[in-house]
Amino acid sequence: MGTQAIELYYKMPKEFRDEGIYISVLNACSHSGLVQEARSIFQSIETKTEKIYSTMIDCLSRASLFEEAQKLIDEYDHDHSPSIVMYTALLSGARNFKNTDLSQKLYDRMEKFFPQMASSLTSAAVLLANTYASSGDTDKASNIRNKLHKLGQKKQMGITSTVVNGISYEFRAYDRSHPRSKEIYAECEKLSAELLQHGHQYDSSWITRPLNDGETIESVLSTHSEKLAIAWNFIANPSTSRIQLTKNLRICQDCHRATKLIATIRKCEIIARDANRIHHFTTDGKCSCNDYF
Ligand SMILES: [Zn+2]
Ligand SMILES: [Zn+2]
C-alpha cells in the first residue's frame, strides 16, 4: 500500500521519524514502484544509515535503475566499508531482469570484498545461477550449482505451510509424503487444466534445474510447494472461500500468476506470506502487491 504509506509518512510529525520509519516508507515505495517518491524522501533524510541506503538501493534495483543504484553503493563505499546487503539487493534486481552480465560482475565483486561471508556468498551464487538459468544459459547455471554442491553448500529448500481445519501441514516441491498425496496430485492436475483453459502459460524460465525423465515444464511448475498446499486446501474443504499459506522463500512468478487465476476460477481468496511480503489474491484476479514483488 505504497501510496497510503507515503500519505501517512507526510502526516507524521517530523520528530517521530526515525530509521525504522524511513525504512518502512522507502520499502513501501520499493514494493509499489514509486521511485520518484522514494528519491525525494531519501534526499530529505539527514542521517542515512546502512539500512536506509540498502532500502533505497533495493527500490532502484527493482525498477531496473541499476546505474543509479550502483552510484549509491559507490557513494556509501566512499566513507564506509562495503555492505554485502546492498550488493545483494542489486543482484536480486539484476536477477528479476535476467541481466547476466551485471549479475556476474556483482558476484565477482562480492567474492573479492566479502570472502569471509560464506552463507551470504552462497545465496549470491544461487541467485547468479538462477539468473543464468532463467536467461537460458543452463550450462553456466549447472556449473555454479555443481561447484556449490561440491563445497557442501546446499540451497535452502522451499517449504509452504498451511493450516487446514486447525491442523498445520507442510509441503515441499514435488512432495509425496502426505498420506493423501495421490488425491493432491490429481487436484493439481485439475487445477492445471483449469489454468490452461483460462489462458495460463507455464513459464519455463522459473525452472532452475534440468528436467528428469517423465517430467514436463507443466508437471514441474504445477507441483511447486505453494500449488500442493492450495490443492490440499481444496481437497479438505472443496467449497472453501479463503486459503492461507506461508512460504519460507519468495514465491516464484509462475506461482504468482497461477494463484491470481486460481483465486478467480475457484472464487477463493488466497493469502500468501512469502519471505518478503504478504500477497493478498482476491477473487477479481488481482494481488495486493500489484505484481510488484
Ligand atoms: Zn513456484
Ligand atoms: Zn502478489
Side-chain angles (χ1 to χ4, degrees):
M1 298 168 79
T3 317
Q4 292 90 328
I6 293 169
E7 265 172 36
L8 258 177
Y9 170 80
Y10 283 114
K11 270 189 203 155
M12 185 178 272
K14 280 201 174 111
E15 61 270 25
F16 286 5
R17 295 180 189 164
D18 58 13
E19 188 192 38
I21 301 286
Y22 291 130
I23 293 168
S24 299
V25 71
L26 289 175
N27 210 8
C29 294
S30 172
H31 286 274
S32 320
L34 300 167
V35 178
Q36 192 43 46
E37 289 80 351
R39 276 192 196 110
S40 63
I41 292 171
F42 182 75
Q43 274 156 14
S44 74
I45 302 172
E46 276 171 32
T47 316
K48 299 183 182 87
T49 61
E50 177 184 349
K51 283 184 183 163
I52 292 174
Y53 264 100
S54 304
T55 315
M56 189 62 207
I57 288 162
D58 180 64
C59 178
L60 295 169
S61 309
R62 281 171 192 275
S64 90
L65 297 164
F66 300 126
E67 269 178 40
E68 199 177 334
Q70 184 63 60
K71 266 189 201 149
L72 277 191
I73 292 186
D74 296 342
E75 188 181 302
Y76 182 85
D77 286 358
H78 193 67
D79 40 14
H80 301 86
S81 48
S83 151
I84 196 158
V85 188
M86 294 178 199
Y87 284 87
T88 308
L90 193 46
L91 189 63
S92 41
R95 188 255 183 270
N96 288 344
F97 293 93
K98 302 181 185 175
N99 188 332
T100 49
D101 285 351
L102 178 63
S103 297
Q104 185 66 59
K105 262 186 221 149
L106 283 166
Y107 181 75
D108 295 342
R109 279 176 82 176
M110 288 169 89
E111 260 190 330
K112 199 173 109 197
F113 286 160
F114 315 102
Q116 311 302 329
M117 305 183 80
S119 91
S120 301
L121 279 179
T122 304
S123 315
V126 171
L127 267 176
L128 179 64
N130 289 349
T131 312
Y132 278 121
S134 63
S135 66
D137 197 338
T138 43
D139 288 348
K140 279 213 170 113
S142 36
N143 281 345
I144 298 168
R145 291 200 186 106
N146 290 339
K147 212 170 105 189
L148 285 174
H149 194 71
K150 272 189 204 135
L151 292 169
Q153 277 149 347
K154 284 209 181 109
K155 71 182 212 180
Q156 209 186 347
M157 170 90 78
I159 300 170
T160 298
S161 47
T162 186
V163 175
V164 177
N165 303 333
I167 302 169
S168 175
Y169 297 87
E170 278 191 353
F171 293 90
R172 286 150 206 271
Y174 333 115
D175 198 337
R176 290 188 184 267
S177 63
H178 193 285
R180 293 173 68 183
S181 166
K182 263 200 177 150
E183 286 169 78
I184 294 174
Y185 274 75
E187 184 69 22
C188 277
E189 270 183 36
K190 216 169 126 193
L191 279 168
S192 182
E194 288 170 31
L195 284 170
L196 293 172
Q197 240 175 37
H198 284 79
H200 184 67
Q201 286 177 330
Y202 283 103
D203 177 355
S204 62
S205 70
W206 291 95
I207 300 182
T208 52
R209 59 171 179 81
L211 293 183
N212 296 323
D213 277 351
E215 281 183 341
T216 62
I217 292 166
E218 180 185 336
S219 76
V220 169
L221 288 173
S222 66
T223 51
H224 272 180
S225 62
E226 297 88 323
K227 288 171 184 133
L228 293 172
I230 290 173
W232 171 236
N233 271 273
F234 283 125
I235 290 171
N237 298 314
S239 53
T240 185
S241 59
R242 188 185 162 96
I243 292 175
Q244 231 169 302
L245 313 171
T246 310
K247 166 121 198 243
N248 62 335
L249 307 176
R250 275 181 58 187
I251 185 169
C252 84
Q253 284 202 29
D254 186 78
C255 284
H256 194 266
R257 278 211 314 268
T259 308
K260 283 198 290 185
L261 269 175
I262 293 170
T264 318
I265 301 169
R266 298 284 180 105
K267 304 216 174 340
C268 175
E269 216 183 340
I270 301 173
I271 294 142
R273 193 186 82 199
D274 74 5
N276 275 358
R277 59 178 308 136
I278 292 172
H279 299 271
H280 190 161
F281 300 92
T282 41
T283 52
D284 57 0
K286 290 190 180 128
C287 179
S288 57
C289 76
N290 289 324
D291 302 332
Y292 214 95
F293 67 99

